[in-house]
């Protein structure tokens, strides 16, 4: 029953994604609604603008998705994709190749309700997988580091104890983590829990700086949901409850600016950069959209501009995304469709990104 449902959803999503591409090319807009930041699509669509198409062959065994798929992480060097899912009596992590072959399932009992997932040290011989756990049981409310085969290596936070304490460090439904090559960690803590925090930790897990007030003003949050760091020392946070993306200096923690005009209809749930650093990939769950936003030059924030959109079928509910930094392929965790999907990049000029 589930396999049939996912197959139908996959085909619908493929048709919708293809339709949106055609609409952008032939009509220069999406539907009849007016979207801030999308006015550029009304002109002749530039041949080098990025588009994506659904890869119906990935994965080769979609029936293996047996829970609600919340997160996905890609190791571009080994060609491996980690998919985090929730549910009773289901493996919490499924591992595939980027070509769609199933490799293994983690049957660990140390994960309750995985939310965000991040692949760190991908270029080394010892990559690790970081997972935020929002469960309410004895293993929840913390962040865990695993080996590629699912062996628990360390825990950040206090397992089973939701809170806001700094020593010992506590979380309440931590949403996502970004681990820099330096080992420094950026954490958004508060997927609907007590906290609304953006934290930077040292490699030794000492708090370097933090913003932790709930509100709508600059540097305040309401359900910070996703975080990424670019090469220009800027931290980009999907401030879900406030329907905006906030930007900070990664060294000092200073607030740099806000993007809000692209999110009047739905909030940003996930934010990632394309391999060429030219675009941000942003997911909007309730409108079932994945948008590419133009990345600003170094030293500027400005306002957001949408350059292309993938429109998924209703009730797919895309949640978090990651990209293969080698090929540019986009992997999407979909709660509603209970699956992960792969989209491959192309341009109207026929070139890959």
């Amino acid at each position: 029953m589930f396999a049939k449902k996912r197959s139908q959803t996959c085909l619908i999503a493929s048709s919708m994604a293809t339709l949106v591409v055609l609409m952008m090319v032939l009509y220069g807009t999406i539907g009849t609604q007016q979207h801030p930041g999308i006015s550029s699509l009304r002109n002749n669509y530039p041949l080098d603008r990025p588009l994506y198409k659904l890869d119906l062959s990935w994965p080769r065994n979609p029936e293996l998705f047996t829970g609600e798929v919340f997160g996905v992480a890609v190791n571009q060097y080994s060609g491996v994709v980690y998919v985090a899912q929730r549910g009773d009596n289901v493996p919490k992590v499924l591992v595939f190749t980027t070509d769609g072959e199933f490799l293994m399932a983690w049957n660990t009992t140390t994960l309750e309700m995985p939310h965000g997932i991040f692949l760190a040290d991908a270029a080394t011989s010892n990559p690790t997988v970081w997972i935020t756990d929002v469960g309410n049981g004895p293993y929840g409310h913390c962040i865990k580091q695993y080996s590629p085969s699912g062996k628990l290596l360390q825990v950040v936070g206090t397992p089973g104890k939701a809170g806001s304490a700094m020593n010992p460090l506590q979380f309440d439904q931590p949403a996502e983590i970004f681990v820099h090559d330096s080992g420094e960690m950026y954490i958004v803590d508060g997927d609907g829990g007590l906290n609304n925090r953006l934290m930077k930790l040292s490699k030794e897990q000492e708090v370097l700086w933090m913003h932790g007030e709930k509100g709508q003003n600059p540097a305040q949050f309401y359900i910070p949901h996703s975080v990424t760091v670019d090469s220009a020392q800027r931290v980009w946070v999907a401030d879900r409850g406030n329907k905006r993306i906030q930007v900070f200096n990664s060294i000092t923690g200073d607030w740099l600016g806000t993007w809000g005009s692209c999110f009047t209809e739905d909030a940003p749930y996930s934010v990632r950069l394309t391999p060429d650093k030219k675009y941000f990939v942003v997911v909007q769950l309730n409108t079932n959209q994945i948008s590419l936003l133009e990345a600003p030059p170094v030293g500027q924030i400005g306002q957001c501009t949408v350059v292309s959109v993938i429109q998924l079928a209703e009730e797919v509910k895309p949640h978090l995304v990651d990209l293969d930094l080698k090929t540019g392929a986009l992997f999407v965790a979909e709660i509603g469709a209970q699956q992960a999907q792969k989209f491959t990049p192309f341009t109207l000029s026929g070139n890959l990104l």
Side-chain angles (χ1 to χ4, degrees), residues 256-267:
L256 299 178
T258 297
W259 281 0
S261 61
C262 295
F263 311 115
T264 57
E265 290 191 18
D266 192 19

Side-chain angles (χ1 to χ4, degrees), residues 4 17 37 41 46 60 64 153 170 176-177 184 190 195 213 215 228 238 294 296 304 315 326:
K4 181 177 180 181
L41 294 177
R60 298 179 186 177
L64 293 172
L153 301 177
Q170 290 182 314
E176 195 175 61
I177 182 171
E184 295 171 329
N195 301 328
E213 291 188 17
T228 196
E294 191 170 11
C304 51
E315 303 305 323
K326 180 179 180 180

Side-chain angles (χ1 to χ4, degrees), residues 9 16 45 64 85-86 92 98 103 114 137 163 175 187 189 196 220 239 244 273 301 307 343:
T9 304
M16 290 293 292
Y45 196 83
L64 293 172
Q85 61 176 5
R86 295 184 193 174
K92 295 302 190 290
T98 51
L103 295 178
I187 299 166
D189 175 30
N196 290 275
Q220 295 180 337
D239 187 6
R244 63 186 181 183
L273 267 169
I301 300 299
V307 297
F343 293 82

Side-chain angles (χ1 to χ4, degrees), residues 69-73 82-85 114-117 319-320 333:
V69 177
F70 267 74
V72 60
Y82 299 85
V83 180
Q85 61 176 5
H115 189 274
I117 182 169
H319 185 244
L320 294 173

Side-chain angles (χ1 to χ4, degrees), residues 62-347:
E63 68 276 5
L64 293 172
F65 296 125
T66 52
E68 293 180 311
V69 177
F70 267 74
V72 60
V74 185
N75 186 333
Q76 74 270 25
Y77 296 101
S78 61
V80 175
V81 182
Y82 299 85
V83 180
Q85 61 176 5
R86 295 184 193 174
D88 296 331
N89 302 314
V90 303
K92 295 302 190 290
V93 175
L94 302 172
V95 187
F96 302 89
T97 68
T98 51
D99 293 328
E101 294 284 352
F102 175 69
L103 295 178
M104 70 178 77
W106 292 5
N107 293 308
T108 178
T109 59
T110 61
L111 272 174
E112 293 180 3
M113 295 180 65
H115 189 274
I117 182 169
F118 185 85
L119 200 291
D121 300 316
T124 72
S125 58
N126 295 303
T128 59
V129 182
W130 292 81
I131 300 177
T132 63
D133 194 333
V134 299
N136 290 314
Y139 299 106
H141 298 297
C142 59
I143 303 170
K144 298 154 188 175
Q145 182 190 33
Y146 291 89
S147 72
S149 61
K151 179 183 178 181
L152 181 62
L153 301 177
Q154 69 167 319
V155 176
V156 180
T158 308
K161 294 184 179 179
S164 305
M166 306 299 290
N167 188 18
L169 187 60
Q170 290 182 314
F171 301 110
D172 187 352
Q173 299 187 34
E176 195 175 61
I177 182 171
F178 182 100
V179 182
H180 193 267
D181 292 341
S182 64
E184 295 171 329
M185 294 172 274
Y186 299 82
I187 299 166
V188 280
D189 175 30
D191 185 38
L194 174 67
N195 301 328
N196 290 275
R197 304 191 296 193
L198 166 65
M199 309 175 70
K200 180 182 180 180
L201 305 185
S202 69
K203 188 176 181 179
E204 294 74 30
Q205 300 178 21
E206 298 175 347
V207 178
L208 299 178
W209 54 257
M210 180 182 72
H211 294 286
E213 291 188 17
K214 181 179 179 179
Q216 299 178 345
N217 292 327
Q220 295 180 337
F221 297 101
Y222 179 41
I223 312 180
H225 197 260
S226 181
V227 59
T228 196
V229 182
D230 66 17
S231 58
Q233 300 179 342
R234 296 177 296 190
V235 184
W236 300 78
V237 179
D239 187 6
R240 194 184 97 188
N242 286 322
K243 290 187 177 181
R244 63 186 181 183
I245 288 177
Q246 295 201 70
V247 193
F248 300 84
N249 182 292
S250 67
I251 305 301
T252 64
D254 292 342
W255 180 86
L256 299 178
T258 297
W259 281 0
S261 61
C262 295
F263 311 115
T264 57
E265 290 191 18
D266 192 19
Y269 274 67
S270 183
V271 56
R272 285 290 184 267
L273 267 169
T274 56
D276 59 11
K277 314 301 181 185
K278 292 181 178 180
Y279 307 99
F280 286 99
V281 179
V282 177
V283 163
Q284 292 170 279
L285 180 143
N286 294 299
T287 53
N288 300 290
Q289 289 183 340
I290 305 167
S291 301
L292 264 73
L293 280 57
E294 191 170 11
V298 176
Q300 299 180 26
I301 300 299
Q303 273 301 323
C304 51
T305 300
V306 176
V307 297
S308 65
V309 175
I310 301 172
Q311 179 65 60
L312 303 177
E314 291 186 10
E315 303 305 323
V316 167
K317 303 298 182 186
H319 185 244
L320 294 173
V321 301
D322 202 13
L323 287 96
D324 183 338
L325 297 181
K326 180 179 180 180
T327 67
L330 172 65
F331 292 84
V332 186
E334 300 169 352
I335 298 176
Q338 296 187 2
Q339 65 184 3
Q341 293 196 111
K342 176 184 179 181
F343 293 82
T344 56
F346 69 99
T347 63

